[in-house]
Amino acid sequence: MTGTHPVTQEEVMAWLDGELPAPRAAEIAAHVAACADCGALADELQSVSRRVAGWTVEPPPSELQAGAHGAIGSIAVTPHRRSRHRPALLAAAVAATFAVAILGPLALRPMHRDGQANAISVGLPAATPVPDLVYHDSLRALGYVSAAKGSQSSLAPPPADQRMIARTVTMSLTTERFDDIRTALERATAAEDGSVVSLSSGGEPRRRTLRATVRVPAARLEAALAAFRALGVLKHESLATDDVTDRYRDLTIRISNARVEEQRLVELLKTRTGTVKDVLDVEREIARVRGEAERMTAEAEATRNRATFSLVTLEIAETYRAELMPAPGDLPVLTRLRNAFIDGLGAAELSVVGVALAVAQFGPTLVAWSLLLALPIWWTARRLRAFVERS
């Protein structure tokens, strides 16, 4: 019983049989006396016990006895002394069976009225434990990987005195040996057990550039940086750090808790039974918990890799050298002169057209204002001239 019922059906049965300690028996007796539902359940159980105690087992028919003796043949059966407790044990077993089968719905009515529903129905008997081999085969058929064997994460939180620092370095260099820079960079990276993450090159002749991102072990970062500095002339270098210790430790703890929850759900699915809906609910919860654990595991591994390996971004530019002769890929001199002359004609045409468009757009406005202001300006100028002559 859940919700407002602090005792279970099994505890009520144990209390009636006198199998509980005195303090717990007193608590259940007080609750049964105050709760109408539990009182009705206790009365029903006592009624079933009384009816079962009055049952008698009829002797088998004589034909059945004769057939049994004939099948046994000459096998000697050693007589045993009849136990005086056998009728009581038989009555208790029959009473428990009928109590579960008949009174299960009666015990469930208060739970449904309170809006509570058990994940596994108490009215159904517990399932027989499934052997491990059959159980794991059934999980694999459902698309699961057994949480008990092989799926535990190897991630562990770092020691308390060890910090996990993720380092990212940016370098800018110039080199005169740009044709060999890619090979030299790959050789220097491989010498420090690193790997090239990305690499791209571009630019104009004599102004080529290369951009690369490499990953090297954090323990060999300084040696790798020294090798990269030797590739050319260092122009700029920066280092950024990020302490990921707390983030990684939090992820490992959450993963461990998720694995424990998954294991408990798997054991529940393995040793218990219920309605189809209950089983499907447990399977969906297992899938959800497992998916969350796998997501956190991937995030923790990525965080650990950030501290285990450092990223170095390099920008390498070719040292510019002015030369009289055109560089490979440049246009001939006559072609460039022709293009310049044609570009000049185009610019002149655009300027003439622009002036003509400006005159056409603003000319009428200027003429109109000139006509309007001509008479006032003429009269004002005449008055000023007369004033000057009189003076």
Side-chain angles (χ1 to χ4, degrees), residues 153 155 164 247-252 255 294-306:
S153 174
L155 300 174
M164 300 178 65
R247 186 184 316 166
Y248 180 77
R249 182 178 289 112
D250 177 67
L251 285 172
T252 55
I255 291 170
E294 296 299 335
R295 184 193 64 78
M296 291 188 295
T297 300
E299 183 178 353
E301 290 178 350
T303 304
R304 182 178 61 182
N305 289 339
R306 287 189 58 198

PDB file of all heavy atoms in Angstrom, residues 153 155 164 247-252 255 294-306:
ATOM      1  N   SER A 153      31.859   2.425 -17.804  1.00  0.00           N
ATOM      2  CA  SER A 153      32.805   3.388 -18.353  1.00  0.00           C
ATOM      3  C   SER A 153      34.131   3.278 -17.627  1.00  0.00           C
ATOM      4  O   SER A 153      34.198   3.026 -16.426  1.00  0.00           O
ATOM      5  CB  SER A 153      32.239   4.804 -18.217  1.00  0.00           C
ATOM      6  OG  SER A 153      33.199   5.735 -18.612  1.00  0.00           O
ATOM      7  N   LEU A 155      36.089   5.793 -17.399  1.00  0.00           N
ATOM      8  CA  LEU A 155      36.419   7.138 -16.951  1.00  0.00           C
ATOM      9  C   LEU A 155      36.466   7.182 -15.436  1.00  0.00           C
ATOM     10  O   LEU A 155      35.619   6.606 -14.756  1.00  0.00           O
ATOM     11  CB  LEU A 155      35.389   8.141 -17.480  1.00  0.00           C
ATOM     12  CG  LEU A 155      35.262   8.233 -19.006  1.00  0.00           C
ATOM     13  CD1 LEU A 155      34.122   9.154 -19.366  1.00  0.00           C
ATOM     14  CD2 LEU A 155      36.552   8.732 -19.621  1.00  0.00           C
ATOM     15  N   MET A 164      43.491  19.379 -14.545  1.00  0.00           N
ATOM     16  CA  MET A 164      43.404  19.083 -15.975  1.00  0.00           C
ATOM     17  C   MET A 164      43.307  20.428 -16.706  1.00  0.00           C
ATOM     18  O   MET A 164      42.285  21.118 -16.600  1.00  0.00           O
ATOM     19  CB  MET A 164      42.201  18.196 -16.267  1.00  0.00           C
ATOM     20  CG  MET A 164      42.237  16.855 -15.558  1.00  0.00           C
ATOM     21  SD  MET A 164      40.758  15.854 -15.874  1.00  0.00           S
ATOM     22  CE  MET A 164      40.935  15.558 -17.640  1.00  0.00           C
ATOM     23  N   ARG A 247      34.787  20.287 -14.379  1.00  0.00           N
ATOM     24  CA  ARG A 247      33.820  19.811 -15.356  1.00  0.00           C
ATOM     25  C   ARG A 247      33.963  18.304 -15.569  1.00  0.00           C
ATOM     26  O   ARG A 247      32.977  17.565 -15.620  1.00  0.00           O
ATOM     27  CB  ARG A 247      34.021  20.555 -16.674  1.00  0.00           C
ATOM     28  CG  ARG A 247      32.978  20.256 -17.731  1.00  0.00           C
ATOM     29  CD  ARG A 247      33.337  20.963 -19.033  1.00  0.00           C
ATOM     30  NE  ARG A 247      33.772  22.332 -18.777  1.00  0.00           N
ATOM     31  CZ  ARG A 247      34.391  23.087 -19.683  1.00  0.00           C
ATOM     32  NH1 ARG A 247      34.665  22.607 -20.882  1.00  0.00           N
ATOM     33  NH2 ARG A 247      34.740  24.320 -19.378  1.00  0.00           N
ATOM     34  N   TYR A 248      35.207  17.830 -15.690  1.00  0.00           N
ATOM     35  CA  TYR A 248      35.434  16.403 -15.914  1.00  0.00           C
ATOM     36  C   TYR A 248      35.029  15.584 -14.689  1.00  0.00           C
ATOM     37  O   TYR A 248      34.400  14.527 -14.818  1.00  0.00           O
ATOM     38  CB  TYR A 248      36.910  16.180 -16.236  1.00  0.00           C
ATOM     39  CG  TYR A 248      37.257  14.731 -16.496  1.00  0.00           C
ATOM     40  CD1 TYR A 248      36.947  14.131 -17.706  1.00  0.00           C
ATOM     41  CD2 TYR A 248      37.893  13.967 -15.523  1.00  0.00           C
ATOM     42  CE1 TYR A 248      37.263  12.813 -17.941  1.00  0.00           C
ATOM     43  CE2 TYR A 248      38.207  12.645 -15.749  1.00  0.00           C
ATOM     44  CZ  TYR A 248      37.896  12.068 -16.961  1.00  0.00           C
ATOM     45  OH  TYR A 248      38.198  10.753 -17.192  1.00  0.00           O
ATOM     46  N   ARG A 249      35.375  16.065 -13.488  1.00  0.00           N
ATOM     47  CA  ARG A 249      35.003  15.326 -12.277  1.00  0.00           C
ATOM     48  C   ARG A 249      33.488  15.253 -12.123  1.00  0.00           C
ATOM     49  O   ARG A 249      32.939  14.199 -11.751  1.00  0.00           O
ATOM     50  CB  ARG A 249      35.642  16.000 -11.057  1.00  0.00           C
ATOM     51  CG  ARG A 249      35.343  15.272  -9.752  1.00  0.00           C
ATOM     52  CD  ARG A 249      36.014  15.933  -8.575  1.00  0.00           C
ATOM     53  NE  ARG A 249      37.451  15.737  -8.612  1.00  0.00           N
ATOM     54  CZ  ARG A 249      38.338  16.691  -8.829  1.00  0.00           C
ATOM     55  NH1 ARG A 249      37.918  17.936  -9.031  1.00  0.00           N
ATOM     56  NH2 ARG A 249      39.624  16.442  -8.837  1.00  0.00           N
ATOM     57  N   ASP A 250      32.791  16.345 -12.412  1.00  0.00           N
ATOM     58  CA  ASP A 250      31.322  16.334 -12.318  1.00  0.00           C
ATOM     59  C   ASP A 250      30.720  15.339 -13.304  1.00  0.00           C
ATOM     60  O   ASP A 250      29.782  14.606 -12.963  1.00  0.00           O
ATOM     61  CB  ASP A 250      30.785  17.740 -12.595  1.00  0.00           C
ATOM     62  CG  ASP A 250      29.273  17.798 -12.580  1.00  0.00           C
ATOM     63  OD1 ASP A 250      28.674  17.598 -11.511  1.00  0.00           O
ATOM     64  OD2 ASP A 250      28.677  18.019 -13.654  1.00  0.00           O
ATOM     65  N   LEU A 251      31.262  15.274 -14.518  1.00  0.00           N
ATOM     66  CA  LEU A 251      30.746  14.332 -15.513  1.00  0.00           C
ATOM     67  C   LEU A 251      30.963  12.892 -15.075  1.00  0.00           C
ATOM     68  O   LEU A 251      30.082  12.042 -15.248  1.00  0.00           O
ATOM     69  CB  LEU A 251      31.393  14.589 -16.867  1.00  0.00           C
ATOM     70  CG  LEU A 251      30.914  15.826 -17.635  1.00  0.00           C
ATOM     71  CD1 LEU A 251      31.779  16.068 -18.850  1.00  0.00           C
ATOM     72  CD2 LEU A 251      29.449  15.657 -18.049  1.00  0.00           C
ATOM     73  N   THR A 252      32.142  12.567 -14.538  1.00  0.00           N
ATOM     74  CA  THR A 252      32.397  11.189 -14.116  1.00  0.00           C
ATOM     75  C   THR A 252      31.473  10.769 -12.976  1.00  0.00           C
ATOM     76  O   THR A 252      31.008   9.622 -12.938  1.00  0.00           O
ATOM     77  CB  THR A 252      33.860  11.042 -13.682  1.00  0.00           C
ATOM     78  OG1 THR A 252      34.164  12.017 -12.660  1.00  0.00           O
ATOM     79  CG2 THR A 252      34.797  11.255 -14.858  1.00  0.00           C
ATOM     80  N   ILE A 255      28.054  10.172 -14.505  1.00  0.00           N
ATOM     81  CA  ILE A 255      28.057   8.919 -15.276  1.00  0.00           C
ATOM     82  C   ILE A 255      27.963   7.725 -14.337  1.00  0.00           C
ATOM     83  O   ILE A 255      27.216   6.771 -14.587  1.00  0.00           O
ATOM     84  CB  ILE A 255      29.325   8.849 -16.142  1.00  0.00           C
ATOM     85  CG1 ILE A 255      29.271   9.886 -17.254  1.00  0.00           C
ATOM     86  CG2 ILE A 255      29.494   7.448 -16.749  1.00  0.00           C
ATOM     87  CD1 ILE A 255      30.571  10.051 -17.997  1.00  0.00           C
ATOM     88  N   GLU A 294      25.551   7.563 -22.043  1.00  0.00           N
ATOM     89  CA  GLU A 294      26.453   7.547 -23.204  1.00  0.00           C
ATOM     90  C   GLU A 294      26.770   8.969 -23.668  1.00  0.00           C
ATOM     91  O   GLU A 294      27.906   9.256 -24.070  1.00  0.00           O
ATOM     92  CB  GLU A 294      25.812   6.749 -24.351  1.00  0.00           C
ATOM     93  CG  GLU A 294      25.604   5.272 -24.040  1.00  0.00           C
ATOM     94  CD  GLU A 294      26.917   4.562 -23.744  1.00  0.00           C
ATOM     95  OE1 GLU A 294      27.965   5.030 -24.225  1.00  0.00           O
ATOM     96  OE2 GLU A 294      26.890   3.552 -23.028  1.00  0.00           O
ATOM     97  N   ARG A 295      25.800   9.870 -23.616  1.00  0.00           N
ATOM     98  CA  ARG A 295      26.060  11.257 -24.007  1.00  0.00           C
ATOM     99  C   ARG A 295      27.078  11.897 -23.064  1.00  0.00           C
ATOM    100  O   ARG A 295      28.018  12.583 -23.512  1.00  0.00           O
ATOM    101  CB  ARG A 295      24.760  12.052 -23.996  1.00  0.00           C
ATOM    102  CG  ARG A 295      24.899  13.487 -24.491  1.00  0.00           C
ATOM    103  CD  ARG A 295      23.669  14.305 -24.155  1.00  0.00           C
ATOM    104  NE  ARG A 295      23.481  14.439 -22.729  1.00  0.00           N
ATOM    105  CZ  ARG A 295      24.162  15.279 -21.955  1.00  0.00           C
ATOM    106  NH1 ARG A 295      25.099  16.054 -22.477  1.00  0.00           N
ATOM    107  NH2 ARG A 295      23.928  15.345 -20.665  1.00  0.00           N
ATOM    108  N   MET A 296      26.904  11.687 -21.767  1.00  0.00           N
ATOM    109  CA  MET A 296      27.849  12.253 -20.809  1.00  0.00           C
ATOM    110  C   MET A 296      29.224  11.606 -20.941  1.00  0.00           C
ATOM    111  O   MET A 296      30.251  12.262 -20.733  1.00  0.00           O
ATOM    112  CB  MET A 296      27.301  12.087 -19.387  1.00  0.00           C
ATOM    113  CG  MET A 296      26.081  12.954 -19.094  1.00  0.00           C
ATOM    114  SD  MET A 296      25.593  12.914 -17.346  1.00  0.00           S
ATOM    115  CE  MET A 296      25.116  11.184 -17.154  1.00  0.00           C
ATOM    116  N   THR A 297      29.258  10.308 -21.285  1.00  0.00           N
ATOM    117  CA  THR A 297      30.546   9.643 -21.486  1.00  0.00           C
ATOM    118  C   THR A 297      31.305  10.260 -22.649  1.00  0.00           C
ATOM    119  O   THR A 297      32.515  10.506 -22.567  1.00  0.00           O
ATOM    120  CB  THR A 297      30.323   8.142 -21.729  1.00  0.00           C
ATOM    121  OG1 THR A 297      29.659   7.566 -20.594  1.00  0.00           O
ATOM    122  CG2 THR A 297      31.645   7.433 -21.941  1.00  0.00           C
ATOM    123  N   ALA A 298      30.595  10.506 -23.757  1.00  0.00           N
ATOM    124  CA  ALA A 298      31.243  11.141 -24.911  1.00  0.00           C
ATOM    125  C   ALA A 298      31.748  12.539 -24.549  1.00  0.00           C
ATOM    126  O   ALA A 298      32.857  12.937 -24.943  1.00  0.00           O
ATOM    127  CB  ALA A 298      30.267  11.207 -26.077  1.00  0.00           C
ATOM    128  N   GLU A 299      30.949  13.284 -23.781  1.00  0.00           N
ATOM    129  CA  GLU A 299      31.370  14.630 -23.381  1.00  0.00           C
ATOM    130  C   GLU A 299      32.582  14.571 -22.449  1.00  0.00           C
ATOM    131  O   GLU A 299      33.508  15.388 -22.555  1.00  0.00           O
ATOM    132  CB  GLU A 299      30.212  15.345 -22.689  1.00  0.00           C
ATOM    133  CG  GLU A 299      30.509  16.775 -22.296  1.00  0.00           C
ATOM    134  CD  GLU A 299      29.323  17.466 -21.658  1.00  0.00           C
ATOM    135  OE1 GLU A 299      28.225  16.869 -21.647  1.00  0.00           O
ATOM    136  OE2 GLU A 299      29.490  18.601 -21.161  1.00  0.00           O
ATOM    137  N   ALA A 300      32.604  13.593 -21.541  1.00  0.00           N
ATOM    138  CA  ALA A 300      33.741  13.462 -20.630  1.00  0.00           C
ATOM    139  C   ALA A 300      35.009  13.061 -21.382  1.00  0.00           C
ATOM    140  O   ALA A 300      36.098  13.552 -21.084  1.00  0.00           O
ATOM    141  CB  ALA A 300      33.419  12.425 -19.550  1.00  0.00           C
ATOM    142  N   GLU A 301      34.876  12.166 -22.364  1.00  0.00           N
ATOM    143  CA  GLU A 301      36.047  11.774 -23.144  1.00  0.00           C
ATOM    144  C   GLU A 301      36.590  12.952 -23.951  1.00  0.00           C
ATOM    145  O   GLU A 301      37.811  13.127 -24.066  1.00  0.00           O
ATOM    146  CB  GLU A 301      35.683  10.617 -24.071  1.00  0.00           C
ATOM    147  CG  GLU A 301      35.426   9.303 -23.326  1.00  0.00           C
ATOM    148  CD  GLU A 301      35.013   8.190 -24.261  1.00  0.00           C
ATOM    149  OE1 GLU A 301      34.745   8.489 -25.453  1.00  0.00           O
ATOM    150  OE2 GLU A 301      34.971   7.028 -23.819  1.00  0.00           O
ATOM    151  N   ALA A 302      35.685  13.759 -24.520  1.00  0.00           N
ATOM    152  CA  ALA A 302      36.138  14.945 -25.249  1.00  0.00           C
ATOM    153  C   ALA A 302      36.845  15.929 -24.310  1.00  0.00           C
ATOM    154  O   ALA A 302      37.860  16.536 -24.665  1.00  0.00           O
ATOM    155  CB  ALA A 302      34.954  15.616 -25.938  1.00  0.00           C
ATOM    156  N   THR A 303      36.316  16.091 -23.091  1.00  0.00           N
ATOM    157  CA  THR A 303      36.954  16.976 -22.116  1.00  0.00           C
ATOM    158  C   THR A 303      38.322  16.460 -21.716  1.00  0.00           C
ATOM    159  O   THR A 303      39.289  17.233 -21.596  1.00  0.00           O
ATOM    160  CB  THR A 303      36.053  17.121 -20.876  1.00  0.00           C
ATOM    161  OG1 THR A 303      34.761  17.600 -21.278  1.00  0.00           O
ATOM    162  CG2 THR A 303      36.649  18.082 -19.875  1.00  0.00           C
ATOM    163  N   ARG A 304      38.418  15.152 -21.508  1.00  0.00           N
ATOM    164  CA  ARG A 304      39.718  14.571 -21.151  1.00  0.00           C
ATOM    165  C   ARG A 304      40.725  14.730 -22.293  1.00  0.00           C
ATOM    166  O   ARG A 304      41.910  15.010 -22.060  1.00  0.00           O
ATOM    167  CB  ARG A 304      39.546  13.093 -20.806  1.00  0.00           C
ATOM    168  CG  ARG A 304      40.827  12.405 -20.377  1.00  0.00           C
ATOM    169  CD  ARG A 304      40.579  10.964 -19.995  1.00  0.00           C
ATOM    170  NE  ARG A 304      40.040  10.200 -21.110  1.00  0.00           N
ATOM    171  CZ  ARG A 304      39.695   8.917 -21.035  1.00  0.00           C
ATOM    172  NH1 ARG A 304      39.810   8.283 -19.880  1.00  0.00           N
ATOM    173  NH2 ARG A 304      39.210   8.290 -22.075  1.00  0.00           N
ATOM    174  N   ASN A 305      40.263  14.557 -23.535  1.00  0.00           N
ATOM    175  CA  ASN A 305      41.162  14.719 -24.674  1.00  0.00           C
ATOM    176  C   ASN A 305      41.667  16.153 -24.798  1.00  0.00           C
ATOM    177  O   ASN A 305      42.787  16.386 -25.257  1.00  0.00           O
ATOM    178  CB  ASN A 305      40.453  14.297 -25.963  1.00  0.00           C
ATOM    179  CG  ASN A 305      40.256  12.799 -26.037  1.00  0.00           C
ATOM    180  OD1 ASN A 305      40.955  12.037 -25.369  1.00  0.00           O
ATOM    181  ND2 ASN A 305      39.289  12.364 -26.822  1.00  0.00           N
ATOM    182  N   ARG A 306      40.841  17.120 -24.421  1.00  0.00           N
ATOM    183  CA  ARG A 306      41.290  18.515 -24.465  1.00  0.00           C
ATOM    184  C   ARG A 306      42.475  18.741 -23.536  1.00  0.00           C
ATOM    185  O   ARG A 306      43.362  19.551 -23.843  1.00  0.00           O
ATOM    186  CB  ARG A 306      40.149  19.448 -24.075  1.00  0.00           C
ATOM    187  CG  ARG A 306      39.057  19.608 -25.108  1.00  0.00           C
ATOM    188  CD  ARG A 306      38.109  20.706 -24.686  1.00  0.00           C
ATOM    189  NE  ARG A 306      38.832  21.963 -24.513  1.00  0.00           N
ATOM    190  CZ  ARG A 306      38.365  22.998 -23.831  1.00  0.00           C
ATOM    191  NH1 ARG A 306      37.180  22.937 -23.250  1.00  0.00           N
ATOM    192  NH2 ARG A 306      39.077  24.120 -23.718  1.00  0.00           N
TER     193      ARG A 306
END
